[in-house]
């Protein structure tokens, strides 16, 4: 079985540097030196420097970025600033930012272009809500194709390594609900994405130590974007262990 990529997205957690360091150490402890999946830890911006000092086997990721290179943009963090903190991966287009912060495909497109231009590896999140899922597979494929076309607009004008672009398929209705998609349905959508783009595809949406074994055997799934379960050391251990088989 080919090597998987596991991305632990801590979201707006934990609440202190001490807790972030403890969690990072728990991740490092369970990542074996050999035959391991590639593991990425994506803490909040405030803990990137603390976590960077801990992770050696795992890679450092960021949960978002600005499309601007710098300047008078209060609260924003640029791709160059992330690179200077040894960040290797960055998440763009997560459904929570689309939903709660009003990020549009146009905004996400600018973030993707900025990240790739800076040499970061981009994990672009796409996925449908429940109303679209209920309309059937064709409706889901049409929606995701439109997302990809908008989010990756003008990407061909950039000179970047194709391995620096990854797609995370996250059905919105499965995120944080405890109800993941079925492996069969997830694989069908990932196959569709791969027909559209020759890139690695991750699955996200209530991934846990309990259900990951149902997904990990599918060669079409190149890895996982893990949210809530990434905050529990025992869950992290199970996910890494099962993904290493």
């Amino acid at each position: 079985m080919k090597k998987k990529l596991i991305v632990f997205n801590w979201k707006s957690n934990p609440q202190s540097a001490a807790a972030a360091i403890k969690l990072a150490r728990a991740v490092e402890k369970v990542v074996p030196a050999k035959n391991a999946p590639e593991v990425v830890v994506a803490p909040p911006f405030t803990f990137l420097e603390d976590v960077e000092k801990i992770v050696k086997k795992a890679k450092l990721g960021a949960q978002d970025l600005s499309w601007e290179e710098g300047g008078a943009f209060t609260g924003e963090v640029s791709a160059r600033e992330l690179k200077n903190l040894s960040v290797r991966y960055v998440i763009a287009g997560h459904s929570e930012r689309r939903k709660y912060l009003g990020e549009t495909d146009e905004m996400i497109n600018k973030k993707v272009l900025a990240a790739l231009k800076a040499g970061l590896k981009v994990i672009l999140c796409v996925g449908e809500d429940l109303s679209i899922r209920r309309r059937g597979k064709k409706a889901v494929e049409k929606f995701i194709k439109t997302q990809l076309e908008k989010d990756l607009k003008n990407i061909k004008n950039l000179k970047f390594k194709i391995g620096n672009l990854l797609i995370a398929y996250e059905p919105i209705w499965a995120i944080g609900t405890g109800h993941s998609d079925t492996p069969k349905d997830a694989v069908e959508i990932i196959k569709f994405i791969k027909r559209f783009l020759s890139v690695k595809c991750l699955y996200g949406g209530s991934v846990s130590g309990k259900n990951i074994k149902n997904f990990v055997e599918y060669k079409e799934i190149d890895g996982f974007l893990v949210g809530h379960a990434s905050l529990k050391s025992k869950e992290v251990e199970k996910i890494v262990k099962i993904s290493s088989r």
Side-chain angles (χ1 to χ4, degrees), residues 14 20 48 55 69 72 79 96 98 115-116 124 127 140 146 152 163 173 179 186 190 204 206 208 213 219 227 232 241:
L48 281 172
V55 293
E69 294 183 358
E96 290 164 355
R98 294 179 190 258
L116 290 175
L124 171 63
V140 174
T146 298
L152 299 177
W173 51 268
H179 302 288
I190 286 175
S206 294
S208 68
K213 62 180 179 294
K219 66 180 187 303
K232 302 176 181 179
K241 185 176 181 180

Side-chain angles (χ1 to χ4, degrees), residues 29 36 47 66 100 111 115 121 143 163 167 188 232 236 242:
K29 183 179 179 181
F47 304 135
S66 170
Y100 300 122
K111 291 185 177 188
K121 294 188 176 184
F143 178 81
I167 305 298
E188 285 302 309
K232 302 176 181 179
V236 169
I242 292 172

Side-chain angles (χ1 to χ4, degrees), residues 226-243:
V226 184
H228 181 70
S230 68
L231 302 174
K232 302 176 181 179
S233 57
K234 289 185 178 180
E235 284 288 290
V236 169
E237 183 176 8
K238 287 181 183 177
I239 289 169
V240 173
K241 185 176 181 180
I242 292 172
S243 299

Side-chain angles (χ1 to χ4, degrees), residues 95-220:
S95 64
E96 290 164 355
R97 296 194 61 86
R98 294 179 190 258
K99 179 179 179 180
Y100 300 122
L101 297 170
E103 285 197 359
T104 65
D105 287 309
E106 290 71 25
M107 294 164 68
I108 293 162
N109 173 237
K110 290 193 287 185
K111 291 185 177 188
V112 170
L113 295 177
L116 290 175
K117 185 178 179 180
L120 291 171
K121 294 188 176 184
V122 180
I123 301 165
L124 171 63
C125 301
V126 298
E128 81 286 357
D129 62 24
L130 190 56
S131 65
I132 295 172
R133 168 54 70 96
R134 285 173 174 165
R135 286 158 48 192
K137 181 183 174 184
K138 292 297 182 182
V140 174
E141 291 179 346
K142 181 179 179 181
F143 178 81
I144 289 176
K145 182 179 180 181
T146 298
Q147 274 192 317
L148 290 171
E149 288 174 338
K150 291 181 177 179
D151 295 344
L152 299 177
K153 183 179 179 181
N154 296 324
I155 195 173
K156 292 182 179 179
N157 296 335
L158 294 181
K159 292 181 179 179
F160 70 98
K161 296 178 181 178
I162 191 63
N164 282 6
L165 176 64
L166 304 94
I167 305 298
Y169 170 55
E170 290 195 304
I172 296 172
W173 51 268
I175 298 173
T177 64
H179 302 288
S180 64
D181 200 355
T182 66
K184 182 179 178 181
D185 287 346
V187 167
E188 285 302 309
I189 299 303
I190 286 175
K191 283 182 178 179
F192 169 77
I193 293 172
K194 288 190 173 188
R195 288 198 297 271
F196 189 71
L197 289 167
S198 299
V199 296
K200 290 185 176 181
C201 291
L202 315 181
Y203 172 74
S206 294
V207 175
S208 68
K210 184 178 180 180
N211 65 24
I212 195 170
K213 62 180 179 294
N214 299 325
F215 293 89
V216 75
E217 297 299 330
Y218 287 88
K219 66 180 187 303
E220 293 87 356

Side-chain angles (χ1 to χ4, degrees), residues 3 5-8 27-28 31 37-43 48 51-52 55-62 86-89 121:
K3 189 176 183 179
L5 172 66
I6 311 297
V7 182
F8 292 116
V27 174
E28 275 290 294
V31 178
E38 184 172 2
V39 175
V40 177
V41 177
L48 281 172
V51 172
E52 189 272 334
V55 293
K56 303 301 178 186
K57 292 178 287 185
K59 305 293 192 303
L60 191 63
S86 300
V87 168
R88 299 278 297 278
Y89 289 83
K121 294 188 176 184

